[in-house]
Amino acid sequence: RAGGGGSIQSQARGVKRLVMDAPEMEDIWKELAPRKRRRRRKRKGTARGELVPSEVSDLLGEANMFFAFSELDKARERLLEAIRLCPASPDAYHTLGLIYEEDSEPAKALEFYIIAAHLTPRDPDQWRRLAEMSRAQQKQTQAIYCLNRALKTKVSPELLWEKQVLLVETGQPKKAIETLTLLLKKLPSDAQDKRTEACKELARLYHQFGQAKAALTTLEEWWAQRKGELTDADLDAVNILAECYINSTLAAKCLTLIEQVREAFKGAEPIDLSVKHGMSLFLLGRNDEAEASLERLW
């Protein structure tokens, strides 16, 4: 098998749905197309780690030489012939991608890189690069697909963050929430700055989705872990939590939060929190204290 995860033929069907058909790829798709077989036969081509036929190896060598000397048409010709002889060899597709990139045709380059990636699917860095290229070409759905392929091999907070960004961009907040929830479970305990950013984004998405209680719970759990070691980078999340308290008419909790921030920063606080401090006092009916608190801002 060439890298696992289904036959080359079934992988090709998925690729074909994701990338545009190029005229010179017609023969390739014919080679990779599914065929009805009564019994399993040895697939033409090479599995990962096996040596390619000598004739194909020679063609790849010639193609690399022509590519090095910028004779792109000759290199392309050798590579297409190599693919005809050995359609499951990823090197030819990858080099074709390099050629089209050199030829200032990034969309076509991406097509061939994706085919190569399907033939060597257990490389998360490769899929991540393809996701970046897809996003640069405004192909967000394809970028999400590439990140999903990377995540099948390696579940990392970085990949999950990139995925949730794309899910938000494509109007899928519910899936973005699920992705961020998983991200928070995967973060190491010392990755506090990343946790803060993830909690802020998760709370924002919950609010957007009409789940104000879930947004508040997310930030309260973050605060319970973070309040002992606050930094300036945390103040934005604190401000959002204070706003959640006011919107939920939990003014007393908002005051407690702001007092804890003042203690951590030795009396200093952003003006937004000072305003929320006065608002909380008003909500509690402590009008004189509220007026005195807000007067200090002018």
Side-chain angles (χ1 to χ4, degrees), residues 164 167-174 176-177 200-215 244:
Q164 72 83 22
L167 289 169
V168 171
E169 288 180 0
T170 53
Q172 302 179 73
K174 188 173 181 179
I177 286 171
K200 280 166 47 180
E201 183 63 15
L202 183 56
R204 186 187 70 78
L205 288 170
Y206 274 135
H207 182 75
Q208 178 184 328
F209 218 64
Q211 298 183 25
K213 185 175 180 180
C244 287

Side-chain angles (χ1 to χ4, degrees), residues 41-73:
R41 298 177 184 174
K42 187 175 180 181
R43 177 178 41 78
K44 182 180 180 181
T46 58
R48 190 178 185 184
E50 292 181 6
L51 294 175
V52 298
S54 59
E55 184 179 1
V56 173
S57 182
D58 290 343
L59 286 167
L60 293 174
E62 291 176 19
N64 287 329
M65 181 188 68
F66 284 128
F67 178 46
F69 286 96
S70 297
E71 296 187 55
L72 302 186
D73 288 339

Side-chain angles (χ1 to χ4, degrees), residues 183-227:
L183 186 158
L184 287 169
K185 293 177 181 177
K186 296 294 181 180
L187 278 175
S189 58
D190 58 349
Q192 290 296 341
D193 290 344
K194 291 180 180 179
R195 185 174 299 277
T196 297
E197 287 302 313
C199 287
K200 280 166 47 180
E201 183 63 15
L202 183 56
R204 186 187 70 78
L205 288 170
Y206 274 135
H207 182 75
Q208 178 184 328
F209 218 64
Q211 298 183 25
K213 185 175 180 180
L216 181 58
T217 299
T218 297
L219 291 172
E220 282 187 322
E221 289 176 353
W222 165 80
W223 176 246
Q225 296 176 341
R226 191 64 173 155
K227 62 184 178 182

Side-chain angles (χ1 to χ4, degrees), residues 79-98:
L79 291 168
L80 291 173
E81 176 62 13
I83 288 170
R84 188 187 69 78
L85 295 171
C86 187
S89 176
D91 291 343
Y93 298 103
H94 182 78
T95 306
L96 275 170
L98 293 173

Side-chain angles (χ1 to χ4, degrees), residues 219-231 234-235 237-239 241-242 245 250-270 273-274 277:
L219 291 172
E220 282 187 322
E221 289 176 353
W222 165 80
W223 176 246
Q225 296 176 341
R226 191 64 173 155
K227 62 184 178 182
E229 45 187 54
L230 279 178
T231 67
D234 298 315
L235 290 175
V238 170
N239 189 49
L241 176 56
Y245 278 140
L250 298 171
K253 284 193 171 185
C254 187
L255 284 179
T256 300
L257 170 69
I258 294 172
E259 290 300 327
Q260 290 173 333
V261 173
R262 286 177 173 175
E263 182 180 346
F265 286 93
K266 299 180 180 179
E269 69 195 23
L273 285 179
S274 297
H277 184 268

